Amino acid sequence: MLIGYHASYEQFSPSQLLDYVQAAERAGFQAIMTSDHLAPWSERQGNSGNNWAWLGAAMAKTRLPFGSLAIPGGWRYHPVVLAHLVATLSEMFPERLRWIALGSGEALNENAVGRGWPDKAERNARLEAGYETMRALLAGETVSSDRRQLETEEAKLSSLPTKPPLLLGAALTEETVTWLGKWADGLATVRKPVNELRRVVEAFRSNGGAGKPCSPASSVLGAHSR
């Protein structure tokens, strides 16, 4: 069993969280998980630091493995930009950024940049296209694409990690995991009643996910080395 600490940007300021992850390491926690929000869930929470800026500081101040959520659909972050961020962190801290869980996003965070908010089918299509772009770039390939809002021309990363993180699919429902099992490196989901979670996991495994890491997000931090 691996027990990790969830660094909640919505509840605490970035400077507080930097102290808390160091305290978590001293207390015996074995990993850190982060999200990637522009806005908190409520005004009462009152915080929402930048995930990627904070990760560099947090990884420098600890020795724990990390995992993070990310949205590659072309709203706040183009997948080329995300791949660049991930590659830089992974090169500086080899095999410490174990996984990135890619999701289709939430209007709460992504709509702020004024590019509209399409239906779920369009968001899923962008998610898969973003995954393909990131995976190719992290493998050292040159990428060009004419996909709307994900246009890419001769993109290539020059500073690459020896071993990039897993690119998991983040999903909650049987329908979504059935779709992403065919292409994602694994599944990150949330804890649910056992019967519900079992159905989600089985849907993933029976639709292309067999043999891939498949677990609640807090448990896949150690999957990179398995």
Side-chain angles (χ1 to χ4, degrees):
M1 178 181 294
L2 183 149
I3 300 176
Y5 174 79
H6 179 206
S8 177
Y9 297 117
E10 300 80 28
Q11 293 176 290
F12 307 107
S13 70
S15 55
Q16 286 177 303
L17 275 181
L18 192 57
D19 290 337
Y20 293 164
V21 292
Q22 294 175 83
E25 182 175 45
R26 292 193 300 270
F29 284 91
Q30 299 163 285
I32 305 294
M33 173 185 167
T34 71
S35 55
D36 185 11
H37 280 206
L38 179 68
W41 291 110
S42 70
E43 290 185 7
R44 184 176 62 183
Q45 288 182 307
N47 284 283
S48 198
N50 182 279
N51 180 55
W52 306 100
W54 183 87
L55 274 173
M59 295 176 79
K61 293 287 187 177
T62 65
R63 294 176 295 176
L64 297 174
F66 282 70
S68 177
L69 302 180
I71 311 300
W75 291 278
R76 286 185 299 144
Y77 299 109
H78 190 285
V80 172
V81 175
L82 268 179
H84 194 195
L85 292 166
V86 169
T88 297
L89 287 168
S90 298
E91 194 280 333
M92 290 193 296
F93 306 103
E95 298 190 48
R96 294 268 310 285
L97 188 58
R98 298 285 180 86
W99 55 265
I100 303 295
L102 303 177
S104 59
E106 299 157 322
L108 173 73
N109 303 300
E110 310 304 324
N111 202 40
V113 296
R115 295 183 179 177
W117 192 241
D119 60 25
K120 179 63 172 173
E122 172 67 12
R123 300 201 308 273
N124 279 355
R126 291 197 205 179
L127 168 58
E128 185 173 2
Y131 163 85
E132 291 171 353
T133 295
M134 291 183 67
R135 183 168 189 168
L137 289 169
L138 290 169
E141 299 175 20
T142 300
V143 178
S144 294
S145 171
D146 60 2
R147 180 76 170 90
R148 186 172 68 86
Q149 293 199 17
L150 298 178
E151 293 91 348
T152 305
E153 184 174 351
E154 298 294 308
K156 184 178 176 63
L157 301 180
S158 298
S159 296
L160 291 167
T162 302
K163 189 173 185 179
L166 296 172
L167 298 181
L168 310 178
L172 302 177
T173 67
E174 293 177 58
E175 180 181 6
T176 302
V177 300
T178 296
W179 163 70
L180 63 79
K182 301 176 180 64
W183 53 265
D185 294 344
L187 170 66
T189 188
V190 298
R191 294 196 182 278
K192 299 181 178 183
V194 173
N195 288 339
E196 292 182 36
L197 186 59
R198 184 177 291 117
R199 289 195 298 270
V200 168
V201 169
E202 283 304 314
F204 178 77
R205 287 176 173 164
S206 60
N207 288 278
K212 299 178 181 179
C214 181
S215 177
S218 58
S219 300
V220 294
L221 278 156
H224 196 60
S225 59
R226 292 177 187 171

